[in-house]
């Protein structure tokens, strides 16, 4: 029997709430310690505490005292690939399965909520926490995030969608104000959260540390209540990031239900005092306490069953560790992106066997498989690529370290690396093909600080140059959590493989791709720019004096590069395969959606024209070439990953809704479909479009009402009074030398000047007629 039940009454939220004192209700609104909610236990009242733990790509539950962060001491759990890898799969079905596995491990460890997934947008490649986030695009972040949430919560445990919102850097993350206009917030930084909330209803949402336009997220009523709950219909609990609360009373009033971690009772007392003094309505405390109690009630069934003996043959702590490791390997391979595979004369990949192959690079032996910070998982096992390659091929593949990783003594490391580099050159000299493993050490990217540049360590580049001088047949395999500069060195390598941070089975997963056991189908979920200075946030990252200005607006990631027709190293959506795909029959047809709003049905046929089975990621982009506001050249609106046998064709259908055609109107402050032409493109990346169709959509008339400060040009475009104003301007009533400037003059100024026969009375009549 749970401590929350009695023989006569199961845990009844309203009954329990009615029996709590104000002090007890306030106590529910903060943690007991670092990881557990506060219990209440006395005669007639029994509310258990429940445990929450870090994710998002694996369970990080402290093995001992739960009273501190404890980054290095957690129970063994499957370390799945990080979000950087999972985002590159473009595969919601796979992420649903990963989520289910995460949920099983969470439940088996008596944990109520896994703190993830993180779906913040990758605004800058320098963000130290980019490895925890899925994409620079909200459609990818939203659809994959929803799949993870649905999978985890299918196991009877909760998630915490984070970090809400506009948390796009680590520099000054606990204080900085993200200064961003509402349209950009709605279209870029909130859209993924909106999709996950509406499609998957996470049990909790975690607010971010930062301010948004000078208001802390933890006490932002517009964000936590008006948008999240009132507009999107969020039904769960809002919790803080650890240490994100600045004013607990203001946070409760804004809609923050649970503060984590414990405050030693200090903020509970603040809430009680505010109620006693009339500064906070006790009904608001009741609402927050009720949400905490609902979280406890949801968690109890899983926690009760987790106490049972679920361990069976081939299982560990109630889950099948072997099966989860195999799934982690599958996900790592699925998120591996083949960036480049040139021929000299034939492509280097896939490798025919291990014969003649040499491996260079310490990261092949000592893998970098996860990010640094609160998401670190203690893996149940760990595959390295060197061992995996030897095991898969049966060959004793030669190896040389080539460089050191995060050596504490830099002077000694420099001397050591010179010797390691010389050894690697000799190993590579006689090899048929050299696999060079490069990547970022943990000291380069982590939660808590941002990167200073996009470059690989200098010693690794020196190694690549030295090896390339004796052997041109080079395959570079990367391990990194965020975009790195490839332009300065990729000419030295005919093949480049982006493995990201592939989790505990990442070594085996990338070897599966190198050997062709898995045909690469990963696609970039973030653009790889040529240079850091080309990034849209450059000059506005990470901000100054407590503020960071989102000056690029909606032109984030590929939207920026495509709008400027700027060269990139590799575009958003890019990824090669060991087979080829052809596109045909791209059509788009306008119809009515279920609610009567305009909708567009897109069709395209994709054929595997190569000799290997493989998967293609078909991407649908929409452009609105004529609009009242600046819109991106094209925006991803739908995608599908399709497996095809050699010679197989399949027609795919995508249904775009009115929302897919909309933009957030900055004056009307709502989503609008502006009627007119839209260009629908289907392709393999934002730069590799295989077919397009133009449709005309009957949207709404979003012209603003004419007023005294409306310009003459706006009045001339008006369907009712426009012809008369046009005649007034061009009919000789205005001097020729004024025609060039009058279009931008407000009507009231023209009336005050008496130009064109317009005065204040005639202007009032004109406006009344226009706005009737």
């Amino acid at each position: 029997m749970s401590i929350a039940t009695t023989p006569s009454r199961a845990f009844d939220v309203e009954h329990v709430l009615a029996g709590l004192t104000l002090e007890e209700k306030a106590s529910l609104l903060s943690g007991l310690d670092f990881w557990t909610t506060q219990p209440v236990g006395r005669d007639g009242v029994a509310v258990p505490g429940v445990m929450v733990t870090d994710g998002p790509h694996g369970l990080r539950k402290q093995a001992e005292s739960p009273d501190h962060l404890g980054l290095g001491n957690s129970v063994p759990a499957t370390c799945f690939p990080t979000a950087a890898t999972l985002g590159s799969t473009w595969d919601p079905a796979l992420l649903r399965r990963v989520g289910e596995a995460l949920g099983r491990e969470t439940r088996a460890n008596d944990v109520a909520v896994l703190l993830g997934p993180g779906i913040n947008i990758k605004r800058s490649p320098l963000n130290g926490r980019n490895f925890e986030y899925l994409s620079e695009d909200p459609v990818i972040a939203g659809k994959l995030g929803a799949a993870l949430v649905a999978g985890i919560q299918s196991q009877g445990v909760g998630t915490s969608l984070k970090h809400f919102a506009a948390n796009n850097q680590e520099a000054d993350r606990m204080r900085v104000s993200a200064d961003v206009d509402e349209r950009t917030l709605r279209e870029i930084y909130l859209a993924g959260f909106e999709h996950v909330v509406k499609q998957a209803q996470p049990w909790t949402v975690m607010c971010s540390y930062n301010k948004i336009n000078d208001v802390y997220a933890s006490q932002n009523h517009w964000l936590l209540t008006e948008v999240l709950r009132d507009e999107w219909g969020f039904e769960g609990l809002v919790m803080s990031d650890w240490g994100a609360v600045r004013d607990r009373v203001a946070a409760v009033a804004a809609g923050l239900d649970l503060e984590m971690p414990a405050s030693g009772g200090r903020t509970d007392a603040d809430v009680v005092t505010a109620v006693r003094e009339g500064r906070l309505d006790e009904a608001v405390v009741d609402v927050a306490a009720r949400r905490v109690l609902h979280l406890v009630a949801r968690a109890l069934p899983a926690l009760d069953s987790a106490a049972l003996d679920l361990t069976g043959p081939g299982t560990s702590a109630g889950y099948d560790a072997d099966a989860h490791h195999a799934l982690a390997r599958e996900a790592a391979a699925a998120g591996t992106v083949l960036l480049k595979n040139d021929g000299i004369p034939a492509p280097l990949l896939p490798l025919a066997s291990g014969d003649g192959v040499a491996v260079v690079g310490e990261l092949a032996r000592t893998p970098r498989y996860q990010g640094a910070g609160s998401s670190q998982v203690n893996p149940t096992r760990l595959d390295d690529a060197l061992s995996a390659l030897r095991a898969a091929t049966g060959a004793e593949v030669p190896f040389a370290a080539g460089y050191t990783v995060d050596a504490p003594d830099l002077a000694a490391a420099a001397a050591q690396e010179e010797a390691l580099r010389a050894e690697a050159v000799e190993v590579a000299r006689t090899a048929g093909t050299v696999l060079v493993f490069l990547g970022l050490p943990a000291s380069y990217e982590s939660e808590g600080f941002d990167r200073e540049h996009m470059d690989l360590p200098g010693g690794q580049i020196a190694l690549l140059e030295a090896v390339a001088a004796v052997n041109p047949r080079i395959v570079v395999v990367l391990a990194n959590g965020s975009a790195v500069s490839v332009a300065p060195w990729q000419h030295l390598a005919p093949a480049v493989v982006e493995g990201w941070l592939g989790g505990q089975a990442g070594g085996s997963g990338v070897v599966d791709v190198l050997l062709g056991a898995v045909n690469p189908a990963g696609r970039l979920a973030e653009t790889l720019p040529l240079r850091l200075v080309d990034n849209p946030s450059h000059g506005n990252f990470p901000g100054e004096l407590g503020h960071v200005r989102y000056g690029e607006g909606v032109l984030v990631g590929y939207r920026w590069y495509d709008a400027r027709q700027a060269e990139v190293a590799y575009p958003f959506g890019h990824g090669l395969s060991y087979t080829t795909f052809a596109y045909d029959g791209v059509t788009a047809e306008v119809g009515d959606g279920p609610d009567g709003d305009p909708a567009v049905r897109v069709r395209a046929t994709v054929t595997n024209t190569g000799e290997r089975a493989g998967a293609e990621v078909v991407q649908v982009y929409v452009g609105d070439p004529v609009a009242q506001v600046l819109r991106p050249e094209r925006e991803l609106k739908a995608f599908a990953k399709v497996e095809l046998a050699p010679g197989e064709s399949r027609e795919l259908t995508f249904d775009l809704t009115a929302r897919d055609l909309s933009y957030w109107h900055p004056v009307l402050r709502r989503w609008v479909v502006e009627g007119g032409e839209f260009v629908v493109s289907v392709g393999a990346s934002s730069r590799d479009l295989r077919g397009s169709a133009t449709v005309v959509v009957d949207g709404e008339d979003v012209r603003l009402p004419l007023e005294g400060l409306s310009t003459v040009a706006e009045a001339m475009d008006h369907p009712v009074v426009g012809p008369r104003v046009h005649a007034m301007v061009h009919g000789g009533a205005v001097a020729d030398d004024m025609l060039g400037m009058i279009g931008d003059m407000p009507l009231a100024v023209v009336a005050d000047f008496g130009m064109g026969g317009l005065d204040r009375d005639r202007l009032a009549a004109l406006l009344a007629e226009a706005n009737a």
Side-chain angles (χ1 to χ4, degrees):
M1 186 189 324
S2 165
I3 65 169
T5 63
T6 68
S8 60
R9 181 183 293 276
F11 190 87
D12 183 321
V13 168
E14 295 304 322
H15 176 79
V16 172
L17 181 63
L20 296 177
T21 66
L22 172 61
E23 288 74 12
E24 288 168 339
K25 288 184 288 189
S27 76
L28 292 176
L29 308 188
S30 66
L32 173 68
D33 49 40
F34 246 79
W35 305 113
T36 310
T37 64
Q38 289 208 49
V40 176
R42 60 174 171 81
D43 291 343
V45 177
V47 179
V50 297
M51 176 172 268
V52 302
T53 61
D54 275 325
H57 58 269
L59 185 74
R60 192 180 73 80
K61 177 185 177 183
Q62 285 184 232
E64 297 175 0
S65 172
D67 61 351
H68 58 85
L69 206 54
L71 294 180
N73 183 26
S74 59
V75 299
T78 307
C79 181
F80 286 93
T82 63
T85 313
L86 295 178
S88 293
T89 69
W90 293 59
D91 191 340
L94 175 60
L95 266 68
R96 164 81 189 218
R97 291 163 54 210
V98 169
E100 290 168 354
L102 288 167
R104 284 191 290 271
E105 297 195 21
T106 301
R107 179 170 179 160
N109 280 280
D110 298 335
V111 171
V113 176
L114 185 70
L115 301 177
I119 65 165
N120 292 99
I121 295 299
K122 299 185 183 187
R123 176 176 179 246
S124 167
L126 297 184
N127 183 5
R129 211 168 181 177
N130 272 354
F131 61 85
E132 270 191 70
Y133 302 137
L134 292 162
S135 179
E136 68 186 28
D137 184 84
V139 171
I140 294 287
K143 290 183 182 295
L144 298 187
L148 281 168
V149 168
I152 294 168
Q153 295 189 170
S154 71
Q155 304 304 303
V157 296
T159 57
S160 194
L161 188 66
K162 62 184 189 181
H163 302 88
F164 191 60
N167 176 200
N168 307 108
Q169 64 189 67
E170 293 298 283
D172 202 22
R173 63 174 175 162
M174 293 189 173
R175 301 181 307 171
V176 72
S177 174
D179 297 340
V180 51
D181 65 273
E182 186 177 7
R183 182 182 168 214
T184 298
L185 270 175
R186 295 282 191 165
E187 294 189 20
I188 304 295
Y189 298 102
L190 299 185
F193 287 95
E194 180 182 2
H195 182 85
V196 178
V197 166
K198 289 182 175 180
Q199 297 299 315
Q201 279 292 343
W203 286 15
T204 77
V205 167
M206 181 189 294
C207 82
S208 56
Y209 288 117
N210 53 282
K211 301 172 188 173
I212 300 171
N213 297 324
D214 258 344
V215 180
Y216 280 107
S218 61
Q219 56 200 58
N220 193 316
H221 186 273
W222 174 80
L223 183 72
L224 303 184
T225 296
E226 296 172 42
V227 173
L228 180 62
R229 296 190 184 281
D230 297 344
E231 290 187 28
W232 299 351
F234 177 61
E235 300 169 355
L237 171 147
V238 177
M239 66 195 308
S240 74
D241 203 342
W242 269 231
V245 175
R246 296 292 166 266
D247 182 332
R248 186 65 186 113
V249 175
V252 172
L256 184 83
D257 307 306
L258 176 63
E259 175 190 15
M260 290 298 287
S263 68
R266 175 181 55 82
T267 58
D268 304 345
D270 290 344
V271 171
V272 171
T273 299
V275 173
R276 301 285 190 220
E277 294 178 351
R279 293 183 288 112
L280 183 67
D281 192 333
E282 186 171 355
V284 176
V285 177
D286 288 349
V287 169
R290 180 180 290 110
R291 290 171 183 155
V292 175
L293 292 173
H294 274 295
L295 176 66
V296 172
R298 294 176 102 175
L300 285 175
L303 299 181
D304 287 345
S305 64
L308 303 175
D309 181 12
L310 300 179
T311 305
T315 66
S316 172
Y319 63 90
D320 189 334
D322 291 338
H324 286 193
H325 184 77
L327 178 59
R329 178 174 179 171
E330 178 187 349
T336 297
V337 183
L338 180 60
L339 296 176
K340 178 182 180 183
N341 194 23
D342 291 345
I344 50 171
L348 295 188
L349 295 176
L351 300 172
S353 68
D355 295 338
V357 174
V359 173
V360 170
E362 182 59 45
L363 288 172
R365 179 174 62 180
T366 307
R368 171 105 196 284
Y369 61 97
Q370 64 175 328
S374 62
S375 67
Q376 291 179 83
V377 177
N378 179 16
T380 58
R381 68 197 73 175
L382 182 59
D383 296 351
D384 66 88
L386 178 61
S387 299
L389 183 63
R390 287 171 172 170
T393 62
E396 188 57 37
V397 177
F399 169 75
Y403 54 81
T404 59
V405 179
D406 276 342
D409 186 337
L410 296 180
Q416 182 183 7
E417 287 204 345
E418 187 173 344
L420 292 174
R421 193 156 53 243
E423 176 191 8
V425 166
E426 294 309 310
V427 168
R429 191 184 302 276
T430 58
T433 301
V434 187
L435 303 180
V436 182
F437 283 76
L438 307 177
L440 298 180
S443 62
Y444 273 52
E445 53 179 352
S446 171
E447 176 184 356
F449 61 86
D450 290 326
R451 298 158 65 196
E452 296 180 358
H453 53 74
M454 292 177 58
D455 301 330
L456 294 174
Q460 294 186 21
I461 301 301
L463 169 68
L464 177 62
E465 291 171 343
V467 169
V470 300
N471 193 326
R473 293 178 57 84
I474 291 176
V475 178
V476 168
V477 183
L478 293 169
N480 47 286
S482 186
V484 296
S485 296
V486 299
W489 53 260
Q490 69 169 347
H491 64 283
L492 300 172
V496 180
V497 177
E498 176 58 88
W500 303 111
L501 302 181
Q504 68 180 50
S508 296
V510 77
V511 167
D512 287 340
V513 171
L514 293 173
L515 294 175
V518 172
N519 194 343
R523 302 293 184 263
L524 290 178
E526 58 188 290
T527 306
L528 301 189
L530 286 175
R531 307 171 302 165
L532 175 61
V533 296
D534 296 333
N535 182 262
S537 70
H538 187 72
N540 286 316
F541 183 95
E544 54 201 10
L545 302 177
H547 290 263
V548 54
R549 187 173 70 91
Y550 284 48
E552 66 278 9
V554 298
L555 298 182
V556 176
Y558 69 91
R559 292 167 168 81
W560 172 273
Y561 300 109
D562 290 351
R564 280 154 178 74
Q565 299 180 1
E567 291 188 22
V568 297
Y570 294 103
F572 175 83
H574 170 78
L576 303 178
S577 172
Y578 297 148
T579 188
T580 54
F581 299 95
Y583 289 63
D584 191 23
V586 174
T587 63
E589 180 182 4
V590 178
D592 291 330
D595 52 5
D597 289 334
V600 177
R601 173 159 288 181
V602 183
R603 289 186 173 90
T605 299
V606 183
T607 302
N608 183 342
T609 55
E611 298 179 354
R612 288 174 175 261
E616 174 70 325
V617 177
V618 181
Q619 304 162 38
V620 179
Y621 295 87
V622 173
D624 182 3
V626 180
Q628 287 188 2
V629 299
L630 172 68
R631 301 201 69 179
E633 188 80 7
R634 65 188 65 90
E635 297 181 274
L636 181 75
K637 293 301 178 182
F639 62 91
K641 196 167 194 173
V642 55
E643 297 270 357
L644 296 171
E648 181 182 3
S649 296
R650 190 173 306 173
E651 184 183 68
L652 302 176
T653 300
F654 304 90
D655 288 317
L656 305 182
T657 66
R659 176 64 181 270
D660 295 320
L661 309 175
S662 300
Y663 63 85
W664 181 265
H665 199 290
V667 178
L668 299 177
R669 298 193 66 220
R670 61 179 175 83
W671 295 101
V672 300
V673 178
E674 185 175 344
E677 287 190 351
F678 289 81
V679 179
V680 180
S681 303
V682 180
S685 81
S686 73
R687 296 286 178 91
D688 184 6
L689 305 176
R690 307 293 184 87
S692 297
T694 299
V695 295
V696 177
V697 175
D698 292 329
E700 57 180 307
D701 184 353
V702 294
R703 278 188 294 263
L704 299 176
L706 284 186
E707 57 183 13
L709 290 180
S710 297
T711 66
V712 170
E714 290 168 344
M716 285 193 292
D717 285 340
H718 195 276
V720 176
V721 300
R724 191 153 67 257
V725 176
H726 190 280
M728 175 192 76
V729 172
H730 293 282
V734 176
D736 291 343
D737 59 356
M738 292 291 294
L739 289 176
M741 66 162 44
I742 195 172
D744 201 42
M745 293 177 66
L747 292 169
V749 174
V750 173
D752 289 343
F753 287 175
M755 299 173 67
L758 194 65
D759 57 24
R760 284 284 179 162
D761 291 338
R762 290 190 176 93
L763 173 59
L766 185 78
L767 296 179
E769 181 184 358
N771 298 326

